[in-house]
Each structure stands twice: as structure tokens, then as C-alpha cells.
Amino acid sequence: MTEPVKASLHPSRDGHRIGVLTLDSPASLNALSLPMIQALQRELDRWEQDPTVVCVLLQGAGEKAFCAGGDIRSFYYRRQESEQALFGYARDFFEQEYRLDHHIHRYAKPLICVVDGICMGGGIGLFAGAGFRVVTEKSLFAMPEVTIGLYPDVGASWFLSRMPGRLGLWLGLTGARFNGADAIGLGLADHAIASGARGELLPRLAALPWSADADGRRDQIDSLLGSLCASSSLPAPVILPRQARIDGLMAGRTLQGVLDRLFDAELDEASLVAARETCRGGSPISRAILWRQYWQARRQSLTEVFADELALSVNCVLKGDFVEGVRALLIDKDRSPRWQAPQPGSDWLDAFYRWPEGKNPLTP
């Protein structure tokens, strides 16, 4: 059985080493499984403590994707075993995934993540916290959780709520796709290189002098990525030019007001119409969670956001629409999910923020 993550160390010219982590499940578009999460965490921990390792490069195998999201079929099969098995798996998966994502945000050494191809859901969780976030002309992003009865998690509550205008709200409610140029403009990416130049990155990193202090090392990585810059080769952004229209569609003080405006609007652009229909067909519970998280996370630390997201995600599995969404999209593939209707008042939504038993392991 092959390892789901390839880990290797490459010598630099001055005797240091560069760690390379490659998500290696191209047949599944590098869907993020629990063994992959554990392997990434193990190597990042080890290299963070190794003084000979000066930076880490994170990438995906294959030509199609960095990471197309989490390995969510596994949740459906755990439900077939028992409710307790489902709870244990959901707790372990999301806790370990969010600990990994949070660690990447706080990683002590330069971490370069290159997205060449599809990056959705859990893949964005890995990408968003990296010290150097690199896109190519092939990068394609989305947070489509509303279609499976989840909500934009993996720290998305934090970064979507900090995007310009109400673009983050739009991306979360509609699952709209965006590209590398959008990601840079949205503050989700830092650099662009040509897809064909990916192979140059590691040898160029190995040729750098690594004796500088931490700030000096980061500066020289910035300079290197700048020298490989290929922003002119990126396709035109698809979200940013429509910000005024999107902000208008998302204007409002209540979720229902925003949905009414969106669903009743006359739209003449195919991309906006498609995004609206995705929102319309999504889980009402997912939309309600996203709305509350979008406003609440603006006042929270990243640590607080991940704690809330852990409770929300586990409860989406146990009593929300997530398992039904997985069934409809990936198991039976009938694309006819039987969504639950939100209850009157806010008590039902408050319950999604309560940890099912004991203490939330991510509570600060």
C-alpha cells in the first residue's frame, strides 16, 4: 500500500535541507483523508524541530488537483456502523484536520504551498494558512459545502469574513468558483508562477543561501517567487470584476432578506445565475450556519473560530444535513437531497454550537 503523502528531504547548497510534502492520491484528486492529515501533521512536527530543515514545500501529485476537498464518503459509511462510530470518526477527523490547519497558520518555518489545479474545501484549509501561497494559471478554487449539507469550514469562517465587501459571503452561500487572479485579489494567495515552472521551484530553493535569520529567509523566498512571477499568464479574474453587483445582491441585515433579493434578482450573466441556483439548491441549515459564522468570526481569533467550527462540523454530521448531502451527491448520486428545514427561532442553531459530550477539545 502506498503512502498517501510523500515526504522527502532535499539538500541545499550550504548543507541545509528543504522538506517536500506531496499529497499523493491523484485518482481521488488528492482528497484529504484522515491518514493524510496524520501524515502531514507528523512530518510538519518533525521538521519544525529539526534545525537542518529550513523550509517546507507543500504540493499535490498529478496534473489535475492540489486537493479537491475532504474524503467525505467515509462519513456515510460510518453512519452505517453506529451513531457512536459516526461521532468518534467525525470528532477525530475534524479535530485533527483543524489542528493541522491551525498549525500551518502558525508554522515556525517558511511553508510554501503551490496550488496547480483544483483546490476546494479541505484543500483551501491547507493552503490558506501557508506563509507563501502560490497559484498558477490552472488554479481553480471553491468552497462548495452548501451543496453537501456542511458549511465553509477549515478556518473559512475567519478568512471569508475578511475578504473585500461581501465577496466572502457570496463565495460561501453559492459555492462559486474562482481562479488564481481572484485568489490574489481576495487576499487568499500571494504569488503566481506558471504551471510549467513548478519543477524549477525546488532546485531554485536549494540554491539559496540559508544562513540568514528568519526574516532574511522569508525575504529571499519572496524574491525567488517574485523572479518566477507569472501573473500576466493568469486568466482574468471572474469574481473581482463583479464585486459591485455581488455586494448589491448580498446587501441586507438578515439572511432571509439577502436570499429573497438574490432569488428574485434579474441576472443576465451565466456565472451569477449558476451560483444563485447552487445556493437555492443548497442546505438551508448550511446557509444559516454560514450567515452566523460570517458575522461572528469577524470578532473572533483564529483559535476561537476553529473551536466553533469543530462543534458545528460534528453536529452537522450527527444531526444536520451532512450525511444526507454525501448520500445524494456521492453515494446514490441522485442529486436529490432531503434537506431539513430550520426551526423557528434561534435555539436550534445555538444547539449546533454546543459540543455533544464533555468539553470541546479545541476550546481555548
Side-chain angles (χ1 to χ4, degrees), residues 78-88 317-319:
R78 288 302 192 285
R79 164 64 68 81
Q80 310 314 304
E81 297 174 19
S82 69
E83 286 294 317
Q84 194 59 34
L86 181 64
F87 169 65
V317 171
L318 297 181
K319 59 186 179 183

Side-chain angles (χ1 to χ4, degrees), residues 84-100:
Q84 194 59 34
L86 181 64
F87 169 65
Y89 183 75
R91 177 199 59 216
D92 292 347
F93 186 98
F94 288 119
E95 179 187 351
Q96 292 181 50
E97 182 183 22
Y98 299 167
R99 287 190 186 279
L100 171 63

Side-chain angles (χ1 to χ4, degrees), residues 68 107 151 345 363:
Y107 202 61
Y151 65 97
T363 298

